[in-house]
């Protein structure tokens, strides 16, 4: 899927993703988990493109193979910064969904960002703990970077980064 860096892309993306997962007989609970994690990843990519003044198309591709789902989202932001990754990894995982939602709400109350929605800039509060949400819902979350000359790197300090590649993986047999 090729999507413009605009919040309106999320609805189209979620609809296509849900349809694909339903066609592949994923259960409702698993679909909801995958949708939420994918929504977070796409929102982060839209934000990254916008904050880097990039109007490049965001690429979303997924594969379903039996019980296994893998999604890649490619953006043209400046790449997820090393400090942000380390901050998220160091944070203790919540012991319950309620604790997790409370942490997210507390974080969001102090943070608001402006993002494009239908081509107009609008306040968006659902930002903050996207990486933590993805890690909590998916079996695997990988962050890679596409660089100049077509290279792929896993080093967030690489000086030739053109954007991020987020890989989310989920196996319904594990859940």
């Amino acid at each position: 899927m090729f999507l413009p860096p605009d919040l309106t892309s999320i609805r189209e993306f979620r609809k296509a993703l849900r349809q694909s997962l339903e066609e592949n007989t994923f259960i409702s609970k698993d679909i909801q988990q995958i949708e939420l994690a994918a929504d977070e990843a796409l929102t982060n990519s839209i934000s990254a493109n916008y904050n880097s003044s990039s109007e490049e198309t965001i690429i979303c591709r997924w594969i379903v193979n039996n019980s296994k789902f893998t999604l890649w989202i490619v953006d043209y932001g400046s790449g997820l910064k090393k400090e942000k990754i380390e901050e998220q990894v160091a944070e203790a995982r919540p012991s319950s969904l309620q604790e997790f939602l409370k942490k997210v709400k507390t974080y969001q109350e102090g943070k608001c960002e402006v993002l494009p929605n239908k081509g107009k800039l609008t306040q968006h509060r659902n930002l903050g703990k996207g990486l933590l949400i993805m890690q909590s819902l998916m079996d695997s979350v990988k962050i890679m970077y596409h660089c100049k000359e077509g290279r792929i790197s896993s080093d967030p300090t690489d000086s030739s980064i053109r954007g991020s590649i987020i890989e989310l993986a989920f196996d319904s047999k594990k859940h």
Side-chain angles (χ1 to χ4, degrees):
M1 252 184 130
F2 299 94
L3 299 167
D6 189 288
L7 292 173
T8 56
S9 298
I10 295 171
R11 174 178 274 157
E12 177 185 350
F13 171 67
R14 285 184 75 140
K15 182 179 177 185
L17 182 60
R18 174 173 283 278
Q19 181 179 351
S20 177
L21 293 168
E22 287 172 345
E23 288 171 359
N24 284 280
T25 65
F26 278 68
I27 64 171
S28 180
K29 179 181 88 57
D30 292 346
I31 292 172
Q32 289 173 354
Q33 276 189 238
I34 293 168
E35 270 188 311
L36 180 55
D39 184 307
E40 289 294 330
L42 181 56
T43 301
N44 287 351
S45 290
I46 291 167
S47 176
N49 269 31
Y50 176 73
N51 289 325
S52 295
S53 300
S54 173
E55 294 183 17
E56 291 285 340
T57 299
I58 294 171
I59 303 165
C60 302
R61 183 181 190 307
W62 62 87
I63 295 174
V64 179
N65 185 5
N66 298 317
S67 65
K68 296 180 180 176
F69 167 83
T70 307
L71 167 71
W72 297 271
I73 297 181
V74 180
D75 66 51
Y76 290 84
S78 59
L80 195 56
K81 300 297 180 218
K82 183 178 179 181
E83 303 78 37
K84 191 72 168 172
I85 296 169
E86 289 170 349
E87 173 187 310
Q88 295 287 326
V89 170
E91 189 169 327
R93 291 197 183 253
S95 60
S96 69
L97 179 60
Q98 288 76 23
E99 181 187 339
F100 177 73
L101 293 173
K102 183 179 176 185
K103 280 180 124 176
V104 170
K105 184 178 179 191
T106 301
Y107 183 83
Q108 287 177 336
E109 286 172 353
K111 180 171 171 119
C112 194
E113 190 168 354
V114 176
L115 291 176
N117 186 8
K118 297 180 183 175
K120 295 182 180 181
L121 296 180
T122 58
Q123 295 284 327
H124 184 66
R125 287 189 84 69
N126 292 336
L127 297 169
K129 300 292 184 180
L131 187 56
L132 184 60
I133 291 169
M134 289 180 260
Q135 290 170 333
S136 297
L137 297 172
M138 302 302 285
D139 295 320
S140 154
V141 176
K142 292 182 185 172
I143 301 164
M144 299 167 281
Y145 307 93
H146 58 99
C147 303
K148 294 175 183 165
E149 299 154 4
R151 278 186 320 102
I152 305 272
S153 173
S154 58
D155 179 5
T157 63
D158 191 312
S159 62
S160 65
I161 291 174
R162 296 180 64 206
S164 298
I165 305 169
I166 304 296
E167 178 185 281
L168 305 178
F170 184 92
D171 186 345
S172 64
K173 286 188 178 177
K174 292 183 178 180
H175 299 267

